[in-house]
Amino acid sequence: MGDVVVREAVLSTGERMPLIGMGAVASPLPPLDALTSIFLEAIEVGYRHFDTAASYGSKEALGQAVAEALERGLIKSQGDMFITTKLWCTDAHPGLVLPALKKSLQRLGLEYVDLYLIHFPLRVKEETGVWDDFKGKMLPFDINGTWEAMEECANLGLAKSIGVSNFGSKKLSQLLLHTTIPPAVNQVEMNVGWQQEKLRAYCREKGIHVSAWSPLGANGASWGSLAVMESPVLKEMAIARGKTVAQIALRWIYEQGASVIVKSFNKKRMKENLIFDWGLNQEDLDKIKLHIPQKRGFAGDRFVSEDGPYKSFDELWDGDP
């Protein structure tokens, strides 16, 4: 990675996961060639962890970038990379998990992924589009049977580690009662405005690594907020340290021992997001913990409705499966 050294987390499987990853999602996505070039640029800068999903539409570009990086000698083998992908809700059924992963591997042009996650703890009808409203389209979610199929993917060597995304501690505790291979990772919304302290403590106790999406509050998304980027607490720290607000926010996650999924296709910001040769002091950490209001950003409106099965995202997140 040149001069850039990114710390790694050692997962419960023994696999090493870089603590900074690039999210391979955007709306709208750039054209294939442009997106491939962006991912190649990220590899050149020093990114080795890329986070994609069946629903992102970026697998082909990411696969092409990895192949070209190998050809150009930027990496020696796929083993230099850490690729995460996710099982989408239409395939969250025991008989569909393995075929879905094989399809993802085909699109990526890879023989395995480093991490395979259940994207959400729910299942929807097969014909449901990625950005459709899920109301009236949900099916019963067999959480234990689906996890058994995830374990099969791991046992076949198609996923080096398996995990979940958007699971609260109640759903995790229900899942852990029936696992042979426990989830190595739980990827959740986490930032200074939604610190997930209780969930992080639970995951730490169970040996589950926490990975943070929406680290900057998704201020560019339709559901996002300015709670992070316009935080007076972070602005004051940024001025005092000669850093950007984003760097302070990302550094806080990094210092919690969580991995962080950043998403910038701008080369300057890619570099800024990657270099952490500095730290926050205890006073900074105390201010962030005590003086930044806490509120979940992602409401999941298209997942919930008054007539159920979930009336709020909190219920989906940690209600009965």
Side-chain angles (χ1 to χ4, degrees):
M1 289 195 194
D3 295 328
V4 178
V5 178
V6 177
R7 276 174 51 205
E8 297 173 318
V10 179
L11 304 180
S12 58
T13 53
E15 299 299 324
R16 305 184 74 88
M17 176 180 179
L19 285 174
I20 306 171
M22 169 168 276
V25 60
S27 184
L29 272 180
L32 180 64
D33 288 349
L35 191 57
T36 301
S37 295
I38 289 166
F39 292 150
L40 256 176
E41 209 165 56
I43 294 171
E44 288 174 340
V45 167
Y47 286 86
R48 294 295 180 266
H49 175 183
F50 287 82
D51 181 90
T52 186
S55 59
Y56 292 175
S58 58
K59 283 193 172 67
E60 288 83 357
L62 180 55
Q64 287 183 25
V66 171
E68 193 167 330
L70 282 164
E71 286 177 17
R72 288 169 50 180
L74 296 174
I75 56 174
K76 294 178 181 177
S77 69
Q78 186 189 335
D80 291 340
M81 304 293 292
F82 190 100
I83 306 296
T84 298
T85 192
K86 306 180 190 78
L87 175 77
W88 187 236
C89 305
T90 49
D91 295 316
H93 179 269
L96 301 176
V97 174
L98 181 57
L101 178 55
K102 287 181 175 179
K103 188 175 181 181
S104 289
L105 290 172
Q106 185 178 19
R107 288 180 172 172
L108 284 162
L110 300 177
E111 294 182 358
Y112 67 88
V113 290
D114 297 277
L115 180 62
Y116 192 33
L117 305 176
I118 298 176
H119 206 148
F120 284 97
L122 58 85
R123 182 188 175 205
V124 295
K125 294 178 181 177
E126 190 176 350
E127 67 275 10
T128 308
V130 169
W131 302 112
D132 285 356
D133 194 315
F134 286 6
K135 297 179 182 72
K137 297 176 181 177
M138 291 197 191
L139 296 171
F141 176 48
D142 178 1
I143 186 172
N144 296 328
T146 301
W147 187 256
E148 284 179 15
M150 295 286 288
E151 292 178 332
E152 182 185 6
C153 295
N155 289 330
L156 289 170
L158 301 179
K160 288 194 170 184
S161 301
I162 52 176
V164 296
S165 182
N166 303 302
F167 274 54
S169 54
K170 182 178 176 181
K171 276 200 166 67
L172 281 172
S173 65
Q174 292 166 340
L175 180 60
L176 287 169
L177 292 173
H178 303 280
T179 60
T180 301
I181 303 172
V185 171
N186 186 18
Q187 188 184 108
V188 297
E189 179 185 358
M190 176 185 163
N191 53 60
V192 296
W194 188 238
Q195 295 178 17
Q196 299 274 27
E197 196 168 329
K198 289 182 180 178
L199 177 63
R200 286 191 287 119
Y202 178 84
C203 288
R204 195 180 307 118
E205 177 192 334
K206 300 298 181 183
I208 300 170
H209 175 77
V210 172
S211 187
W213 61 262
S214 186
L216 302 180
N219 61 305
S222 59
W223 55 268
S225 79
L226 297 172
V228 176
M229 298 303 290
E230 293 295 327
S231 165
V233 175
L234 297 194
K235 283 185 172 182
E236 182 183 326
M237 290 179 191
I239 291 169
R241 292 182 168 276
K243 303 295 181 184
T244 66
V245 169
Q247 284 177 308
I248 300 289
L250 296 175
R251 178 73 207 191
W252 176 83
I253 294 172
Y254 192 73
E255 292 197 10
Q256 308 313 303
S259 54
V260 56
I261 307 302
V262 297
K263 197 204 75 176
S264 177
F265 292 168
N266 175 285
K267 191 169 186 177
K268 178 176 179 290
R269 287 197 294 273
M270 280 185 200
K271 290 180 177 178
E272 288 177 350
N273 291 344
L274 197 61
I275 297 173
F276 282 136
D277 55 354
W278 55 280
L280 298 172
N281 60 36
Q282 191 58 49
E283 184 182 356
D284 295 331
L285 296 171
D286 290 343
K287 283 181 180 177
I288 290 171
K289 182 176 181 177
L290 299 173
H291 299 300
I292 296 182
Q294 296 298 295
K295 183 182 178 183
R296 184 194 302 281
F298 185 69
D301 291 341
R302 66 196 180 98
F303 299 158
V304 301
S305 65
E306 281 303 313
D307 54 358
Y310 300 108
K311 295 178 175 58
S312 70
F313 191 72
D314 283 328
E315 208 175 288
L316 163 63
W317 162 264
D318 224 16
D320 293 325

